[in-house]
Each structure stands twice: as C-alpha cells, then as structure tokens.
Amino acid sequence: MRLSVFGCGYLGAVHAAAMASIGHEVVGVDVDPRKIESLTKGEAPFFEPGLQQLLTEGIASGRLSFTTDASAAAGAKVHFVGVGTPQQAGGHAADLTYVNTAIDDLLPHLSAGDIVAGKSTVPVGTAAELAPRISAAGAVLVWNPEFLREGWAVQDTIDPDRLVAGVPSGAEGERAAEVLREVYHPAVAKGTPFIVTDYATAELVKVSANAFLATKISFINAMAEIAEATGADVTQLADAIGHDARIGRKFLGAGIGFGGGCLPKDIRAFAARAEELGRGESVNFLREVDAINLRRRDRAVQLVVDGLGGSVYGKKVAVLGAAFKPHSDDVRDSPALDVAVRLNGLGADVVVTDPQAIENARRLHPQLTFEADRDETIRGAAAVVMVTEWDEYRRELSPEHAASLTDGRVVVDGRNGLDAAAWRAAGWSYFGMGRP
C-alpha cells in the first residue's frame, strides 16, 4: 500500500521506515530540508537502535523516500500525521501549530476515499475539530495514537503491544478501520489487539497511559522521600510491592524521575485540557506527580553537596549521563542534564559524558564541559554521579577501576542502578535515592 507520513522527527521517521520494512511504499514529508537531506542519504538524524538499518534497507529497496514537497503525498491511500505537539510557551497546554500546519499542507493533495491517520499526542477533542476539514476533501480522519518507548521505538512500531483506531461512526469508520488493519497486517495477523474506538477515547488512551506511567514513577519517588526520612530502603520496598500482580514491578524504579519529550509535557497538557473542560479537579493529582518528579532532581543535587561536605564549589563532579534515558540521544527535559546544570550553578567543575547525547546536550547547554571518554570524565573527580543508567556506567564500571582514577570516593546513584554493597566495600561513600 502507498502511504505518506507528515512529520519526519522522532515519531514520523521511525514510522515511515518501519512501514517500508513491512512492505509498504512510503514517502516521508517534512518542512526541514536538512532533516530530509539526512534521511534521503539513509542517515538517521537521531539515535534510535535499529533505525539506521531500516533507513538503509528501505531507501535501497525503493520503498522509502523523503521530501519537503507535500504534493508527493498525492496518491497515497493512508496519510499519517506524526508532527510534534510541544508545550505552549508560557503555559502548560499543547501547542497544535504543527498539527494544523500539516493538515493545511496535506488537504490540497487528498483524494476521495483517502484516510488521514493522526498519530500525534493531542488534547482530547482535537480529532473532532479536524474531522470536518478532512471530510470536506472527501477523506476520512482516524486517530491512531503511538505508544513508542524511546530506545525500543522500531520494535514497538513493527510489533506493538496494541493498536488503537479512533474512527467516526458508521460505514466509513468501519472501512477506515479495515484499511488500518491492512496497514498493520503483520501485527494483526499475529494477534496483536486491535481496538476500535471513537475519536475521544483514542486520544485519551494515549494521554491517560502516559499519565498512569508518570504517576507510578512519582509514587515510588514519593515513597523514596518517606524512606529517606525513616531509614527504609525504597528498592526493597519496590521489590516487595511489585510482587503483587495488581501493582507489578515495572516503573517502580525510584531515582531522579522521568523526562524526555513525552511524559512531562503530556501530563501538563492533560491537566490543562481537563481545566478547559471544567474537570480540572479530576486530574489535580497530576500536578503533584509533576512536583514530586522535579523534587527528585533537587534531592540528587543535595546528595552531591552533602557527600562533598556541604559545598561543591571548585570541585570536579563527573556526571555520567546526559540523555533522559539509555538507548537514546534525547535530552529534552532530561533529569540527568538538569542535575548537571544545577551543580554547575553551584560552582562545581562539572564534566558530563554520555555515549550518544553529547552533541545534543552541548547545543542546549554550552556552558557545561563535555567529555566523550568515560574514564577521562571521572579522572580526578571528587564525586561521581550516575544519572542515566547506560550499561557503560551501571554494569561495566567497577568501583575498583573508578577508584583508581578519581581523587574522591563519593558516588551518587541517581538511578539506584549500582551495587551499593560493592561500591561501599571498595571504599566509596555511596548515596542512593531513598536508600539508607
């Protein structure tokens, strides 16, 4: 089937390449000529495991192409819209400028019977507002939210754990759902749940899923705050309650909290939309979820200050990690980078390393010092702070090796990913998040 994908950022580029890999003919459209030039060469403009191979294979096969010309979408049966919905400047609501612009660019090239499939994370009610414009062009709008995990986005696109399609009522909605089943035929054939809903439910599935995950993370971080006040160990607490099948252990990792381009802005936009609907009280808890999340960054900084005797001024602090999570180069709202910036503001000589995110981090915070080599980063440091749980830091850096390079023996484990007993046995003062 011929498909178009409007927006070739993180979501769109992965979706386009993944759809080509399962046999579709796909054209990706974006207004950024540099991004399109990179993708046309088969070069991924960001780090995502597996994406480079899909791009190379898709372009070589002739099934995948990229352009800045929206007219290239003409003739596609399904048009995906996967542009960004950032937080509004000066507010918490989602900015739909890119969504509206993409629809404006697409409308002249639609044909009767086409399907426009929105994938962007949008406030509930957006699809209902867009649908009349799509219908006037003879096409049908569906809302097909994405559920990608950065670092596993290729896998999540090709082999998702569920597919959701918000469609209009009646025969045209049923037809649109059947076409989407064809688009995702390998996943549907293996039994992946395919859930057909109305527009509002499909929009809410995405934002409520993100709200739940954010709540679970902030819950365990709230327990970490209690653990710190009582001497309890939040990692053992999480293990114990995680054995309850109703709760589960996933997303109960206490630490410096969540970040990235989705969870923080999505829970804020969800709360803002609830206020607009007159139901703000229903999601008031999300504001506390956000506040707890931000407090953990403060706590990590305070642990470094305490570990260095009350002041970090003039002392070298090695920060292991800049991306908001491993297997990504994404530094949007990164807790790791935020901790580094705050320590720098207190006068520490901060050196940051990361396997993939250094260039993105440098563009965002040129005032920091960056070093690609892990060992050079920690050489001569008074304290080491692990804030992104890359294997290079969590598993492959032994406390004995680290001790041979540093001047101090203070380690702050912002992700509770290190073996506390092993580091203490090697002579380190170990500080975890919510751990004695």
Side-chain angles (χ1 to χ4, degrees):
M1 190 182 301
R2 179 168 169 76
L3 312 174
S4 76
V5 178
F6 275 68
C8 295
Y10 179 82
L11 165 60
V14 172
H15 192 71
M19 292 300 98
S21 77
I22 62 175
H24 298 298
E25 180 186 349
V26 186
V27 58
V29 181
D30 199 283
V31 297
D32 185 343
R34 288 179 298 179
K35 188 184 300 178
I36 292 301
E37 181 181 2
S38 175
L39 289 166
T40 300
K41 293 177 181 177
E43 300 171 354
F46 51 85
F47 177 72
E48 178 62 35
L51 176 58
Q52 185 66 61
Q53 180 180 350
L54 290 192
L55 286 173
T56 301
E57 293 173 352
I59 290 171
S61 72
R63 291 192 302 270
L64 179 63
S65 63
F66 296 94
T67 181
T68 57
D69 183 2
S71 69
K77 187 171 185 178
V78 181
H79 308 270
F80 290 97
V81 177
V83 295
T85 53
Q87 189 172 316
Q88 287 182 2
H92 287 165
D95 184 347
L96 298 179
T97 300
Y98 300 121
V99 172
N100 289 317
T101 299
I103 296 298
D104 288 341
D105 291 344
L106 173 59
L107 283 174
H109 311 294
L110 293 175
S111 298
D114 283 2
I115 292 171
V116 177
K119 296 199 72 67
S120 302
T121 302
V122 296
V124 61
T126 301
E129 292 180 0
L130 294 174
R133 299 170 61 195
I134 306 298
S135 296
V140 179
L141 176 68
V142 303
W143 214 262
N144 174 221
E146 54 85 13
F147 303 100
L148 306 185
R149 300 166 296 166
E150 291 198 34
W152 291 269
V154 170
Q155 173 188 326
D156 290 345
T157 304
I158 296 174
D159 187 19
D161 55 14
R162 79 283 206 192
L163 292 159
V164 175
V167 303
S169 60
E172 70 172 6
E174 293 175 5
R175 183 187 71 84
E178 285 306 312
V179 172
L180 277 189
R181 284 189 175 94
E182 292 178 35
V183 170
Y184 295 115
H185 65 275
V188 172
K190 68 178 294 186
T192 299
F194 190 96
I195 302 162
V196 179
T197 75
D198 54 71
Y199 289 147
T201 303
E203 292 164 325
L204 280 172
V205 167
K206 171 61 177 179
V207 293
S208 59
N210 280 356
F212 184 84
L213 295 176
T215 300
K216 197 170 182 182
I217 296 168
S218 281
F219 169 81
I220 200 61
N221 277 327
M223 296 305 100
E225 294 180 343
I226 303 300
E228 288 161 358
T230 60
D233 189 328
V234 76
T235 59
Q236 293 179 344
L237 169 67
D239 288 341
I241 66 175
H243 283 293
D244 188 325
R246 298 168 300 175
I247 297 173
R249 186 61 173 83
K250 289 184 178 179
F251 281 78
L252 285 182
I256 59 173
F258 56 81
C262 292
L263 290 190
K265 62 99 174 171
D266 285 352
I267 64 170
R268 293 165 192 159
F270 193 7
R273 181 57 176 152
E275 290 283 356
E276 292 172 355
L277 294 170
R279 292 293 184 268
E281 70 279 2
S282 299
V283 293
N284 273 342
F285 69 94
L286 289 179
R287 303 195 189 282
E288 185 57 28
V289 164
D290 197 16
I292 292 168
N293 189 55
L294 295 176
R295 283 205 301 270
R296 301 315 289 164
R297 306 177 187 191
D298 294 332
R299 179 59 178 164
V301 171
Q302 190 58 50
L303 286 176
V304 180
V305 172
D306 293 346
L308 291 178
S311 175
V312 297
Y313 187 82
K315 299 172 184 177
K316 180 177 179 179
V317 177
V319 175
L320 305 183
F324 86 97
K325 64 182 293 187
H327 312 296
S328 174
D329 63 355
D330 194 343
V331 297
R332 291 175 294 175
D333 206 350
S334 168
L337 199 52
D338 194 14
V339 167
V341 169
R342 295 183 192 209
L343 288 168
N344 180 74
L346 293 176
D349 175 16
V350 177
V351 181
V352 181
T353 190
D354 191 283
Q356 295 293 336
I358 285 179
E359 290 309 312
N360 287 344
R362 181 181 282 119
R363 281 193 291 270
L364 196 61
H365 291 290
Q367 76 275 23
L368 298 177
T369 300
F370 296 93
E371 169 59 57
D373 186 85
R374 181 199 66 190
D375 286 0
E376 286 304 311
T377 299
I378 66 175
R379 191 180 303 278
V384 175
V385 190
M386 199 274 282
V387 280
T388 309
E389 59 271 42
W390 289 96
D391 282 347
E392 288 90 333
Y393 317 140
R394 183 170 177 255
R395 300 181 186 278
E396 299 169 13
L397 177 61
S398 74
E400 294 80 12
H401 178 67
S404 72
L405 297 171
T406 60
D407 288 344
R409 299 292 183 273
V410 173
V411 60
V412 173
D413 185 0
R415 294 295 182 180
N416 286 346
L418 302 175
D419 185 335
W423 282 78
R424 285 171 175 150
W428 289 81
S429 295
Y430 171 93
F431 299 87
M433 305 291 287
R435 307 180 73 181

